Amino acid sequence: MNRFSLRIGLVFLLVGMLTGFPTQAQSTVRLYAPASPAPRVQFGLDRLTRALEAADLKIQPRHDAKLSRKGIRVVVGSWDDPRIAALQASQPNLFPKPGKEGFVLHATDGLVVVAGADASGTLYGCLELADRIEQAGGLPETLDVTDQPEMVLRGACIGLQKTTYLPGRKVYEYPYTPETFPWFYDKALWIQYLDQLVANRMNSLYLWNGHPFASLVRLADYPYAVEVDDATFQKNEEMFRFLTEEADKRGIWVIQMFYNILVSKPFAEHHQLETQDRERRIVPVIADYTRKSIAAFVEKYPNVGLLMTLGEAMSWDDDVEWFTKTIIPGVQDGLQALGTTTEPPIVLRGHDTDPETVMEAALPLYKNLYTMHKYNGEALTTYQPRGPWAEVHRALSELGSTHIENVHILANLEPFRYGSPDFIQKSVRAMHEVHGANGLHLYPQASYWDWPYTADAATPRLRQLDRDWIWYEAWARYAWDVHRDRPQEIAYWSDKLGTLYGCGPEGHDILTAYEESGEIAPKLLRRFGITNGNRQTLLLGMTMSQLVNPERWRVWELLYSSDGPEGEKLADYVRKELQGAPHVGETPPQILQEVVAHAQQAVAAIDRAAPAVTKQKEEFARLQNDMHCYEALARFFDAKVKAAMLVLEYGHTRELRCLEAAIPLLEASVRAYEDVVRLTKDTYLYANSMQTAQRRIPISGEDGSNKTWAELLPHYQQELANFKRNVAQLQAPSQEEATADAPVALSPVKVQLLSSDGALYPLQAGQSLFQDEAVPIQQVAPALQALQGVRWSRSTQQKQGTTLRFKTTRPMRVLVGYFDTNDKAFVHPPDLETNANANDRGQAELLLANALEAKGMPPVQLHGYTYPAGTHTLSLSKGLCLVLGFVDPSAAIPNASATLRPETLDQLFD
C-alpha cells in the first residue's frame, strides 16, 4: 500500500468515526419497514426511497424482526410496530411519543429511526426525512427531532362551481359532468394537487357543490332524480373512488360539502317544485329524498366526511329540525346499511344559521361533529379580529368539538398575487388565541369560481396550484406550527424565493414586496369597504356614492365591528374632525398614508430584485406587474377617498369650496385608474371570478359584465363628468336647472291579484298599512304616490308570512317595502351576505331610502322583484313588510324620499 492510499484510508476511517456511520457498505442502506404497511405508510416509504436513491444510496429492503448491528440502518414504523417497541425497550426514554399525526426522527451510530404516533405521523416522518436528505445530499449525521401539528385539521377546498350560472339553473347548481368540469376527470392533475397538499402537510380536502348527491348516487325510490347520464355516472363513481383512495394514501380526508335545502333539477321538475326556495318550509317529499340521498352516499363512501351549510336556501326556523330529523338520520341510515357504528365526521358551518342552538340539539344524537366559521367573512382583512364575530368563534370553540377557521372566498384579494407570510402567520395565531380554533379550511387565493385556472391572460392558462404556491404553503406551514421564530421565517422565505427566481439574496426583496403589498387590500377594505362578502370586488375600485353614502349600499356592520382594529368610518371621521372631537383607533387618513407607503415600498423592493432574476423570468414579470397594479390602486383610493372626505365636509358646511377642491382629487383618481387599466388590459382576463348578479359593488356583474378595469373606467370617467357638471350648476344655478329634476310619479302596471287575503289600497297619507290595525301612512315618496299597494292583516304576516299570488300580461316589477330595523318582528331585506339567491329578481338593490313613513313604524326602504309575463307567487317570510305597487321594470326610481330631506350627497355624481 502506498502512502497516498494509506492517507485516503485514514481519512475515510476518521469520517466514519466522526459521523457515527459505519465505514463498511457506505452506499447501502438497510431499510426496515412493515411487510404490509398501511397505504399512507407505504406512500411515505416510497417518497423516502426516492430521496435515498437520489443521494446515491442503495436500498436493501428488510422485514426482519431483529435489526442488524452493521451498516446504515433506517427503521420506519408506527409506534406499535415491533421494531419501534423493541428500540424503546432496549433504550428507555430514547424518544418521547408525540401526539396525533406526530413523529420522531432519531439518528445516531448509523441507526436512523422514523417513528410515527400513527400512520399519518409515520408518513410525515418519512416526508420530513426525505426533505432533509434532499437538502443535505445524503442522510443527516445526527437527528433528534420530535414534531407534531398544532391544528387538528389542515385543509384546502376546491369548488365544483363556475363563474356563471348554467342555463336554466340557479346558483350552486352544477352537476358533475365532463362538459362542465373537465378537470375533475384529469387524474394527473389530481395527483399533482394531492402531492402538493401532502407536501404542505395538509390532511383534508373539501369539495364544494350545491347538491352533489344526484351526480354520485342512485335512489330506488327516486330513480328520476339523477342529473347525469349513465356513462357520466360511471365516470363519477370511478373518479370519486380514485380521488378518495389517492387522498387516503397521503393522509388526506376528503369531505363533500352541500347546501340546504337544495334538490336536483330532475327531482324538482318531477314534483313541480323549485330546486331551492329560501321561503319554502320543509316539505316531506324533499326531506325523504335528502335523507335517502345522504344514506346512499354514506353507504357508498363511508370514509368521506360531510360539510353542510344549513342555509342560503332555507329558513333559520327549520335549521334544527332539518339537521336533527333529516341530515343526521340520513347518516345513521347509511351506517346501519353498512352494519357499522363508526360515525363519519360531520362539519357544521356557522354560516346563515344559529350554530350554537343547532349543535346543542345535535350533540345528544351524534358525537363526531365539528364546527366551522368564516375567519374574516369572505375576505382577508385583519390578524386582530374582535367584536361579535369573534364571540361566535369563541362560543363554537367552547362546545368541546374541534372548531375550524374558514379562510373564505378572499373577494378583496382577487385577482393579484398574495403571499405575505407575516400576515398569514399572525392570522393563524389569532385563530388560536382570539377565536380558540384548532382547524384550518383554506380557499384558493383567487379565482375560486374558475378552478383550476387563474385570471392571468397567459397561454397556456396558469394554474392556481402553480401560481399561488406561496399562499398554500404559508397557511399550511403555520397551521402546523404557528410559533416559528420571525427572523428564521424571514430567512426561510427569502432563501426559498431567492432559489425559485435564481436571484440569491435578492429573494429578501421579493419577500418584502409580498409582505408590503399584503397589507394593502386588508387595510382598504376594513376601513372603506361596504362588505366583507363577495358582492364587493375591492380591487375594481369603489364609486363616490359608495364612499359618501355607504348606507345606500347596505354596509355589513360586522366588517367594522369585528374585522379589524377599532377605528372610524369615513363619515364619522369627517364629522369628528369638524366638531374637534377626539378620534379613536384607525383613521381614514392614517390608512391612506399607510397604504400608499406599503405600495411604494412593494414596488421599490420588487424593482430592486428584478436585475438579479435568472429563473422563472416570465412569472417574475407577472409578479412585478402585480406590485405596480397595487401601487396604482393605492393612488386611486388615496385620491378618491380624500375627494370623498371633502364631499362629506360639504354635507355639513354647504361650502362650495369643498366640492371645488374635490374635483382635482377625483381627476387624479381617474388618472391612477387609467394606469391600472394600462397594467391589466393585456395581463388579466378578469378581476373577479364570480361573474353573476350577486356581485354588486362597485358595479353589477350581471351576465358576466363589468369584470375588468377597462369596463369600469368609463363609469369612473362619467362619475367625474357628472360631478363637474353638478358643481358647475351649484356655482351658477338657473331656474330651469332648479326645476329640471322634480320627481316624477311612477305609472302603475295593471296586474290581476290571485291572493284572496290581500287587498289593494292607494298609497296616500291617512291610509292604513294593515287590514286589522290602524297604522296610518304619514308621508309617501313622490314617485310612489300614484301607485296602489297590497295590504294584509298584521297578524297574518307575523304568523304565516306574506304570500302574493298574481298574474301579469307583461313584464313588471313588484315594489316591496322593508322596514329599516333589525327587530325580528319585521322581514329583513334580501341579503347577499347569507343568501346567494337574494338577487335572482334584482331584489337586493336598494331602490329608494325612506320611501314611506307611517305612524309608530320604522322608515321604509324600497326594493323590487322583477317578473316576466305570467302567473307568479312571491313568498316572504314571517314578519312585517309592505307591497307598495307594480311598475314597469325599466322605470327609473326618482331619488326623492318621503321625508323630503335635502338631497343625498351621492346625487352629486348622478
Side-chain angles (χ1 to χ4, degrees), residues 605-672:
I606 202 73
D607 288 351
R608 281 197 305 271
V613 171
T614 61
K615 299 178 182 177
Q616 302 282 339
K617 289 187 175 182
E618 289 185 359
E619 175 56 20
F620 178 83
R622 289 188 283 260
L623 174 62
Q624 186 178 23
N625 188 69
D626 282 358
M627 298 302 147
H628 284 266
C629 289
Y630 269 123
E631 191 276 333
L633 279 166
R635 285 188 282 115
F636 165 81
F637 274 100
D638 180 54
K640 195 156 195 175
V641 172
K642 287 175 179 175
M645 291 168 63
L646 286 165
V647 173
L648 287 166
E649 183 179 344
Y650 166 78
H652 290 277
T653 66
R654 296 294 162 171
E655 295 179 2
L656 280 176
R657 63 167 182 81
C658 300
L659 302 184
E660 292 164 350
I663 289 175
L665 288 167
L666 202 53
E667 289 173 332
S669 77
V670 171
R671 288 195 298 272

Side-chain angles (χ1 to χ4, degrees), residues 524-543:
L524 286 173
L525 187 69
R526 76 188 186 215
R527 196 49 49 214
F528 307 116
I530 300 296
T531 176
N532 61 17
N534 62 10
R535 65 185 170 101
Q536 176 170 8
T537 301
L538 175 75
L539 296 181
L540 279 175
M542 293 176 68
T543 67

